[in-house]
Every structure is written in structure tokens, then in C-alpha cells.
């Protein structure tokens, strides 16, 4: 059982603009969940809406402007609603680095799959592995017209 997903992309935009796309709910819904209900801030538990694919409550762990954003959730197609801190979760982290040419490297990691209940661990890793490829592609597309 793999415990983590690691992805890295480079976006032709400043680190500040990419951070806003990850941390500002009005921007996030342009590439990740279709909706965000509740306060999208540290120590809060907003709900991500994925249309016909259901809803997932998340816990915002940390937000350091222009460099780091992290949340916990119950991964995969489990559509968890409730106190995220009361169940086994994975940690999703975005790390941003400005490159010399002014573009931004986005390093995404999702860890903790091995600590999930056995009946969902492997399928959650598979679903999210493909899901992050799709969602990070959408993040790149958000900046493609610049």
C-alpha cells in the first residue's frame, strides 16, 4: 500500500497569483471543487461540492501566503460530511516555489493513505492519484491564457 501521492507542475504565473488560485475560494472553484460552503480559512471545516460526485468536508490545516496551503479530508469517493478531525484522513499540501524565470513550481503531496481503514485505503489512493492529475491539469489551464 502506497502512503502518498506526489505531483509537481510548473505554472507560468507568479507565486502570488498561484497561491491566490489555491487559497481564495472564488478562485479555487474555477479549477478544483465546483462549490465551497462555509469559511475557507485555517481551523475551519468548509464543504467542497463536486456536483454529481458528491460533497466532502475538509479541515484547513495551515495557510502561509505565497508558499504553503494544507487541508485534511477523507479521500476518494467517500463523500464524508461531519467533523473531519474525528475520523482517519489524509493531508493534502501545496508548496509553492518561485522560479528564476518568474514562473511558479507547485509541489502537491497527499499523505496518510496507509492509516486509512483497509477497505478504503487502496481505492482512495487510486482515485486520488488520477484525480490530482485531472485537477492539477485544470489549475494549469486556469493560467494558460495569460
Amino acid at each position: 500500500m502506497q502512503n502518498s501521492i506526489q505531483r509537481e507542475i510548473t505554472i507560468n504565473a507568479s507565486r502570488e497569483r498561484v497561491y491566490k488560485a489555491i487559497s481564495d475560494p472564488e478562485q479555487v472553484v474555477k479549477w478544483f471543487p465546483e462549490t465551497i460552503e462555509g469559511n475557507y480559512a485555517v481551523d475551519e471545516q468548509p464543504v467542497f461540492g463536486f456536483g454529481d460526485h458528491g460533497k466532502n468536508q475538509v479541515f484547513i490545516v495551515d495557510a502561509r501566503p505565497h508558499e504553503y496551503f494544507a487541508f485534511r479530508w477523507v479521500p476518494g469517493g467517500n463523500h464524508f460530511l461531519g467533523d473531519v478531525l474525528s475520523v482517519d484522513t489524509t493531508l493534502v499540501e501545496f508548496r509553492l516555489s518561485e522560479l528564476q524565470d518568474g514562473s511558479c513550481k507547485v509541489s502537491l503531496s497527499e499523505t496518510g493513505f496507509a492509516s486509512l481503514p483497509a477497505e478504503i485505503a487502496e481505492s482512495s489512493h487510486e482515485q486520488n492519484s488520477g484525480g490530482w492529475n485531472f485537477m492539477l491539469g485544470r489549475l494549469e489551464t486556469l493560467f494558460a491564457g495569460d
Side-chain angles (χ1 to χ4, degrees):
M1 170 72 238
Q2 291 190 8
N3 191 45
S4 69
I5 296 169
Q6 307 287 328
R7 299 286 183 272
E8 213 170 76
I9 60 171
T10 299
I11 296 176
N12 189 23
S14 70
R15 187 168 66 162
E16 290 78 12
R17 288 185 59 218
V18 175
Y19 182 79
K20 187 174 182 176
I22 293 168
S23 65
D24 179 340
E26 291 180 13
Q27 297 295 309
V28 175
V29 297
K30 293 179 180 179
W31 68 274
F32 188 30
E34 292 178 22
T35 60
I36 297 176
E37 301 168 28
N39 195 5
Y40 190 62
V42 173
D43 293 331
E44 297 289 338
Q45 294 195 36
V47 175
F48 287 177
F50 293 97
D52 294 340
H53 299 287
K55 294 183 176 187
N56 278 51
Q57 194 132 18
V58 303
F59 174 76
I60 308 300
V61 174
D62 198 5
R64 285 176 271 165
H66 312 138
E67 62 184 59
Y68 182 79
F69 192 88
F71 63 86
R72 291 195 161 279
W73 69 349
V74 177
N78 299 297
H79 313 301
F80 179 82
L81 295 175
D83 182 3
V84 177
L85 299 179
S86 69
V87 295
D88 294 321
T89 61
T90 57
L91 176 65
V92 176
E93 299 173 285
F94 294 89
R95 289 181 173 81
L96 307 180
S97 306
E98 187 132 8
L99 302 176
Q100 285 188 326
D101 65 1
S103 62
C104 179
K105 180 174 79 172
V106 179
S107 300
L108 169 119
S109 66
E110 183 172 4
T111 57
F113 291 94
S115 66
L116 296 175
E119 64 273 10
I120 68 165
E122 193 169 328
S123 63
S124 293
H125 186 274
E126 280 181 34
Q127 287 174 356
N128 284 23
S129 188
W132 284 121
N133 291 342
F134 177 75
M135 292 301 180
L136 290 175
R138 287 176 48 123
L139 180 59
E140 287 178 303
T141 299
L142 185 64
F143 292 96
D146 291 356

